[in-house]
Amino acid sequence: MNTPLTTIDALRRAVAHAPERPFLLFDRRSFSYKDTAAIAARWAARLRAAGVERGDRVALFLENSPAFVTAYLGAHMIGAIVVLVNTLYRQTELRHILNDSAAKVVIVGDQAHADLLQQADAPGAVIFTSDVALEGSGEMPDWTLTPAPGDIALIGYTSGTTGRSKGAMLTHANLMANSAAVTRAWRWTEHDRLLLTLPLFHIHGLGVGLHGTLYTVSTVDLRRGFDAADVLDTLAHGQTTMFFGVPTMYTRLIAEARRRQSTGTPVRVDSMRLFVSGSAPLSPQTFAEFEELFGHRILERYGMTETIMNLTNPYDGERRPGTVGMPFPGQEARIVDVRTRQPLPDGEIGEIQVRGPNVFAGYWRNPQATAEAFDADGWFNTGDLGWRSTDGYFTITGRARELIISGGYNIYPREVEEVLQEHPAVAEAAVVGLPDAEFGEQVVAVVAPAAPVTDGLEQELIDWCRTRLASYKKPRQVVFVSSLPRNALGKVQKHVVQQQLTHQAQPERTP
Ligand code: MLC
Ligand code: AMP
């Protein structure tokens, strides 16, 4: 098989090679590569009828479904750029992302999501998934409109330090180079079956799970979401070979396996060859507990929206807990001093920089942010801190930017602070991440109120955030203080706030 340079090359190659092979399994339905191409072609025609042309943005505000996969490929068939939208996003995020990307069309699965767009006053013509029949027609697509490798395939919004998220532009060439590297490193072949419970609207589910499947012409068993019991039941059926997840999923799988064992139900994963974890740090304890219960050493890897996958533990060699391994084939990584930007020797902590054909084309309509993200030699500044061992394993130790990762979802404190500050009872607010057993980190808000605290204000502030932002960004706790600690320049000292909360300093109740 030749090497595909775009998602549509990959689809076309799969249809030529194995037209009847199942690409997608969903809700007891199977979609062959040929069916998928035919339905995608129908989406392409529907989008063209809506006036979408090459380079126009098509936003997918969709849950995991065959409609997501076929609309995604259909948009690519006519050279359109797909904008990924987390379905948990609410007014603030929707308004910004759809305005910033100037989406011509937004595809939704139901009226509730269309209503959310209307409430957010978001631009773009709304198309419902029910507009396009989910049946293969047997007719083959017109492949002549296919995109070029350098065309932008998708924009993934990644929260920015300023509170405004930035659109990372990934080209078809980025996506395919990354798939080539990932599938080679993990020995992914056409015989694999991936169980995918991650959302397709982020790079982990889409850029690794779906693209890897398409690239290898294998099969993906796609679910609406993650459910530990359902995953264990599926793995016991003996057809799945791979599972990719975030650390929260692994802690839930461990809990479910223990529950079953306590009732005498064995946990069977005989057909599995690979469990991968990423998007957030996997603790060595979870690694060890999983190995003990499942007999598999989880392969931890490290990636980001801007670069898809960067570093991976080896498939054959030692999978070292607490580390994220080495660069994928064809990619480079190094550690530089945070201030001097000079490369550091092994063992010293600095910022991780990466370079390779997987690295994105820049931020959408934001040349300044793009320029700041790269150095003169084309190294991308990841904003993550870490070190490299003498035998080449990278360990992530922290983040140069303020970022909370909860269950694999990123939360920028500034975005939540801005929303809190809009509430009349809030004089000032600081948002920090505290350790959380289930999600890794949890969002905590420290608020100096504008007037004495009234009963119910904590819940009111949580609800205030919940209606304006994705629900996972809402504070789990609100701590009231008389004022926030500031340095001589007047900047809030987040590390002091964090230390006080971690050491359980008794917060003041009234200012
Ligand atoms: C859901 N909730 C969360 C949460 N997920 N709260 C904090 N952190 C999270 N991650 C909240 C919801 O807001 C909701 O609150 C309640 O929990 C129930 O929602 P749910 O949808 O039923 O939750 P659940 O299905 O259990 O979700 C947990 C999860 C999910 C771990 C399965 O968070 C998930 O799929 N995470 C993966 C995210 C991901 O794909 N990240 C990759 C980004 S790409 P309420 O108030 O409504 O009850 C990337 C690059 C790379 O990072 O390297 O991969
Ligand atoms: P996103 O911006 O959503 O793409 O998230 C990317 C960020 O997730 C990275 O910059 C890291 O901070 C974090 N991340 C991804 N994988 C890992 C990992 N294996 N360990 C620690 N952090 C990770």
Side-chain angles (χ1 to χ4, degrees), residues 158 279-281 300-305 324 384 396 401 405 410:
T158 155
S279 307
E300 184 171 6
R301 94 310 177 269
Y302 156 69
M304 358 183 12
T305 304
V324 288
D384 290 307
I396 296 174
R401 43 202 171 123
I405 305 184
N410 288 3

Side-chain angles (χ1 to χ4, degrees), residues 88 197-199 202-205 226 246 248-249 252 278-279 301-305 308-309 406-410 439 466 471-472 474 476:
L88 293 168
T197 67
L198 288 156
H202 282 303
I203 224 61
H204 194 166
F226 175 81
V246 297
T248 303
M249 294 179 178
R252 290 189 188 175
S279 307
R301 94 310 177 269
Y302 156 69
M304 358 183 12
T305 304
I308 327 174
M309 290 298 101
S406 169
Y409 280 137
N410 288 3
F439 291 113
R466 202 188 181 297
S471 56
Y472 60 86
K474 69 182 184 290
R476 296 293 192 91

Side-chain angles (χ1 to χ4, degrees), residues 60-106:
L60 302 186
F61 189 31
L62 291 175
E63 309 284 353
N64 283 2
S65 56
F68 187 116
V69 176
T70 50
Y72 176 75
L73 292 168
H76 282 176
M77 273 180 182
I78 56 169
I81 300 173
V82 171
V83 179
L84 302 176
V85 187
N86 186 322
T87 51
L88 293 168
Y89 286 164
R90 291 298 174 260
Q91 291 165 32
T92 310
E93 298 108 333
L94 292 174
R95 193 175 303 130
H96 170 61
I97 289 175
L98 297 171
N99 276 301
D100 187 67
S101 63
K104 195 164 209 174
V105 162
V106 189

Side-chain angles (χ1 to χ4, degrees), residues 139-154:
E139 238 174 79
M140 274 302 95
D142 163 12
W143 301 105
T144 54
L145 289 167
T146 55
D151 286 353
I152 307 300
L154 67 87

Side-chain angles (χ1 to χ4, degrees), residues 418-427 450 457 460-461 464 468:
E418 282 177 5
V419 167
L420 281 168
Q421 260 143 15
E422 284 163 16
H423 192 283
V426 174
L457 182 58
E460 193 179 318
L461 293 178
W464 175 267
R468 287 162 178 79

Side-chain angles (χ1 to χ4, degrees), residues 121-460:
D121 209 8
V126 172
I127 296 184
F128 285 87
T129 47
S130 51
D131 279 10
V132 170
L134 273 182
E135 254 118 56
S137 60
E139 238 174 79
M140 274 302 95
D142 163 12
W143 301 105
T144 54
L145 289 167
T146 55
D151 286 353
I152 307 300
L154 67 87
I155 301 180
Y157 275 81
T158 155
S159 303
T161 37
T162 58
R164 291 252 155 263
S165 59
K166 297 172 287 186
M169 301 186 288
L170 288 163
T171 64
H172 282 272
N174 293 148
L175 300 178
M176 291 300 107
N178 183 75
S179 292
V182 166
T183 57
R184 193 170 140 206
W186 299 346
R187 312 275 191 274
W188 196 336
T189 74
E190 61 184 330
H191 305 297
D192 277 305
R193 181 188 286 192
L194 170 70
L195 175 61
L196 190 60
T197 67
L198 288 156
L200 289 174
F201 45 67
H202 282 303
I203 224 61
H204 194 166
L206 183 73
V208 192
L210 192 78
H211 289 159
T213 303
L214 182 61
Y215 194 88
T216 50
V217 197
S218 56
T219 302
V220 59
D221 183 358
L222 182 71
R223 300 300 157 97
R224 284 195 174 77
F226 175 81
D227 177 76
D230 178 54
V231 168
L232 291 191
D233 289 346
T234 305
L235 300 188
H237 281 139
Q239 284 169 308
T240 310
T241 62
M242 299 192 293
F243 176 81
F244 302 163
V246 297
T248 303
M249 294 179 178
Y250 285 102
T251 51
R252 290 189 188 175
L253 286 175
I254 289 168
E256 177 63 16
R258 287 205 171 121
R259 198 191 59 75
R260 289 185 180 201
Q261 282 185 343
S262 71
T263 61
T265 314
V267 173
R268 306 206 55 146
V269 293
D270 305 350
S271 58
M272 289 297 290
R273 69 171 187 86
L274 183 62
F275 289 91
V276 178
S277 175
S279 307
L282 179 76
S283 75
Q285 187 193 339
T286 304
F287 180 96
E289 288 174 359
F290 193 85
E291 185 176 12
E292 195 192 315
L293 280 160
F294 290 84
H296 280 262
R297 290 171 76 79
I298 299 172
L299 185 154
E300 184 171 6
R301 94 310 177 269
Y302 156 69
M304 358 183 12
T305 304
E306 288 91 334
T307 58
I308 327 174
M309 290 298 101
N310 295 322
L311 298 167
T312 180
N313 268 278
Y315 185 80
D316 289 321
E318 184 200 355
R319 297 182 195 165
R320 198 174 292 171
T323 81
V324 288
M326 302 150 205
F328 277 91
Q331 303 181 12
E332 299 171 276
R334 67 178 190 178
I335 307 285
V336 294
D337 186 284
V338 178
R339 266 173 289 275
T340 66
R341 313 307 294 170
Q342 292 306 308
L344 286 172
D346 287 342
E348 288 191 30
I349 295 177
E351 183 171 348
I352 303 173
Q353 287 186 325
V354 296
R355 199 162 64 173
N358 55 312
V359 178
F360 75 142
Y363 293 108
W364 172 254
R365 292 183 176 167
N366 198 338
Q368 195 193 331
T370 304
E372 286 166 6
F374 291 93
D375 76 5
D377 299 320
W379 288 94
F380 172 68
N381 305 317
T382 62
D384 290 307
L385 302 175
W387 58 282
R388 187 175 62 181
S389 67
T390 46
D391 59 353
Y393 284 73
F394 284 73
T395 298
I396 296 174
T397 54
R399 298 166 205 134
R401 43 202 171 123
E402 264 186 30
L403 169 69
I404 301 167
I405 305 184
S406 169
Y409 280 137
N410 288 3
I411 300 149
Y412 272 87
R414 173 82 176 265
E415 194 180 18
V416 186
E417 286 162 4
E418 282 177 5
V419 167
L420 281 168
Q421 260 143 15
E422 284 163 16
H423 192 283
V426 174
E428 50 179 4
V431 166
V432 294
L434 291 189
D436 182 86
E438 185 181 11
F439 291 113
E441 288 178 300
Q442 62 166 284
V443 179
V444 177
V446 179
V447 166
V453 175
T454 49
D455 277 350
L457 182 58
E458 176 174 7
Q459 192 56 46
E460 193 179 318

